[in-house]
Amino acid sequence: MSVLLYGAGVVLLVFALIDIITRGEDQVRGLPKLAWILICIFLPVVGSIVWFAVGHDWSANDRNHGRYLEPNRHEDQYASLGHARAAHGDARVTGTEQELAALEREIEYWEAQARLRRAKEAAGEGEPTPGS
C-alpha cells in the first residue's frame, strides 16, 4: 500500500514539474516558475497540489478545463449602465418594469379573489369544497 502511495506522489510530482516547465510566464500565478519548481521538488506532494490549486492559471487558455465561465453579455463592453442605455435605449429596462407591474397587478387580482372566496365561505355562501 505504501508503494502505491509513493508511486502516486512521484507521478503527481512529475506531472506538476512538466506542467510548470511547459507553461509560459504569463500562465503562472503567484510566484515565478523557478520558485514553483523548487517548491514542488522540496515538498513533492504538497507542492504539486498547491501548484495545481493556486499556481496554475486555468483561464489563460482558450479551453475552460471544465470550469464554468460566465457568458459574455453585450452590456459588459460598456463602462457604465448609462453608456449601455445610450447605446441600446431604455427598451430593455422599460420592458422589465412593465412586466413587473403586470405581475404585481396579477398578484393583487388573485389576492382579491382569495379574499372574496374566504368571505363567501365564512358567510356560508361559498361553493362546497370537493371534500365535503
Side-chain angles (χ1 to χ4, degrees):
M1 185 67 174
S2 63
V3 174
L4 183 64
L5 290 175
Y6 178 74
V10 170
V11 169
L12 183 64
L13 172 65
V14 169
F15 277 120
L17 288 175
I18 290 172
D19 192 45
I20 294 169
I21 292 169
T22 58
R23 297 248 161 227
E25 288 290 337
D26 59 330
Q27 297 175 326
V28 176
R29 294 188 306 169
L31 298 170
K33 284 173 61 169
L34 181 62
W36 281 115
I37 291 171
L38 292 175
I39 288 172
C40 286
I41 289 173
F42 290 122
L43 302 168
V45 176
V46 175
S48 300
I49 292 172
V50 171
W51 159 251
F52 285 116
V54 177
H56 189 285
D57 188 7
W58 295 101
S59 63
N61 293 335
D62 292 336
R63 295 176 24 201
N64 67 2
H65 297 283
R67 290 184 0 179
Y68 171 76
L69 298 177
E70 185 175 351
N72 292 328
R73 299 180 303 249
H74 65 276
E75 292 92 352
D76 291 341
Q77 63 186 334
Y78 302 105
S80 68
L81 182 59
H83 289 103
R85 282 187 176 161
H88 297 286
D90 288 332
R92 184 173 179 182
V93 174
T94 304
T96 303
E97 290 173 353
Q98 289 171 347
E99 288 176 14
L100 286 173
L103 287 172
E104 288 174 359
R105 285 191 302 272
E106 185 178 350
I107 289 170
E108 290 171 2
Y109 170 78
W110 287 109
E111 286 175 346
Q113 291 295 318
R115 282 192 302 270
L116 286 173
R117 189 176 340 108
R118 284 192 302 266
K120 284 182 180 181
E121 289 173 359
E125 300 174 8
E127 298 175 7
T129 58
S132 57

